[in-house]
Amino acid sequence: MHIEISPLMRQCLDATIVRLSQEFSGVFSRETVARYVWESYVQIGEQPRVGPNFLPVIIERFAREQLWAVAQATGAVEKPLPEVLFVCERNAGRSQMAACLAHKLSRGWIAVRSAGSHPDEQIDPVVVEAMAEIGLDVSAEFPKPLTDAVIRAADVVVTLGCGDVCPMYSGKRYQDWPVADPAGQPLEVVRRIRYELYHHVWELIETLVPSVNLLDLQRPTGGKS
């Protein structure tokens, strides 16, 4: 794959290929890892709002996620936890909030991913603020494009206003949550969206986490989420 990039970025991507090849040794060849790293660079792109020092980190995280998804979907590695994929259009608001809440509320009993059909350049700052109010930090997250790999790896696909762009595969459970888009909304509206997502997420957790483990989880109650 021939791509015109700076020598420094090429050096960073080569180093990423080395690290991921070691991490996925015995699962993927170096050539396969390299292909996913370069494809991740193309998909993420040179986002103008991402600092040059952080872009290689984002590309490595995205490539790692894609490789794990492919490995899980093909059965190359065991999938010990139920996998939930949250999808919205920009992956800058609802799907990020839902994924963060699912990880927090399930205390690691659910593996979580999120993606966007048309990902934005950054997480909505008001969403970051609203999540910080309940002690959850999404500031280090980044909008990710929806790929076939993460859909195939998921056991449950939750859509939040992304239309019909998400492919349907047999053997998967699909849910659509009619939750308002926080984009451009004031903080008080985003708080209500957060609260609604909080309860949707908990209802989902109850169907995925064994009942014996639910006893250790914090069920949301009335009031602020």
Side-chain angles (χ1 to χ4, degrees):
M1 182 181 298
H2 178 72
I3 304 174
E4 293 295 333
I5 63 173
S6 68
L8 179 58
M9 178 60 71
R10 182 174 293 275
Q11 183 179 3
C12 290
L13 296 185
D14 286 344
T16 294
I17 292 169
V18 171
R19 285 192 294 272
L20 293 181
S21 294
Q22 295 172 344
E23 183 175 334
F24 289 93
S25 177
V27 180
F28 294 116
S29 67
R30 188 184 187 283
E31 290 73 21
T32 298
V33 170
R35 176 166 59 85
Y36 275 95
V37 170
W38 285 104
E39 287 179 356
S40 296
Y41 172 77
V42 172
Q43 289 175 299
I44 296 298
E46 296 276 6
Q47 297 186 16
R49 297 184 186 179
V50 176
N53 294 330
F54 191 49
L55 183 59
V57 176
I58 287 180
I59 293 170
E60 181 168 341
R61 286 170 57 187
F62 184 68
R64 177 180 287 105
E65 182 173 282
Q66 298 305 301
L67 288 164
W68 276 115
V70 171
Q72 291 171 341
T74 59
V77 297
E78 182 182 359
K79 186 164 62 172
L81 300 172
E83 185 85 39
V84 180
L85 172 65
F86 295 97
V87 184
C88 66
E89 183 178 1
R90 290 179 289 274
N91 194 218
R94 288 168 291 185
S95 56
Q96 292 281 359
M97 296 169 78
C100 184
L101 287 166
H103 177 73
K104 175 68 174 181
L105 292 174
S106 72
R107 295 188 185 177
W109 285 108
I110 295 175
V112 179
R113 293 188 175 101
S114 71
S117 54
H118 299 92
D120 210 338
E121 293 179 348
Q122 65 176 2
I123 305 298
D124 188 321
V126 183
V127 165
V128 174
E129 183 179 358
M131 297 302 283
E133 287 183 339
I134 59 171
L136 299 179
D137 184 8
V138 296
S139 62
E141 297 299 326
F142 62 97
K144 300 174 289 294
L146 179 64
T147 65
D148 189 69
V150 294
I151 299 172
R152 289 185 179 277
D155 299 299
V156 181
V157 179
V158 177
T159 57
L160 301 108
C162 62
D164 58 357
V165 299
C166 188
M168 305 290 286
Y169 293 114
S170 61
K172 299 194 183 300
R173 175 178 157 196
Y174 289 84
Q175 293 187 5
D176 183 68
W177 295 353
V179 178
D181 189 349
Q185 297 296 332
L187 181 58
E188 57 268 23
V189 174
V190 179
R191 285 174 179 147
R192 291 197 294 269
I193 294 170
R194 181 191 68 198
Y195 183 75
E196 187 175 352
L197 285 169
Y198 200 92
H199 289 275
H200 275 300
V201 166
W202 182 259
E203 290 173 356
L204 177 62
I205 289 172
E206 288 184 313
T207 70
L208 295 175
V209 175
S211 57
V212 64
N213 296 322
L214 278 174
L215 297 175
D216 296 328
L217 302 184
Q218 180 183 359
R219 183 184 180 89
T221 57
K224 293 183 178 180
S225 57

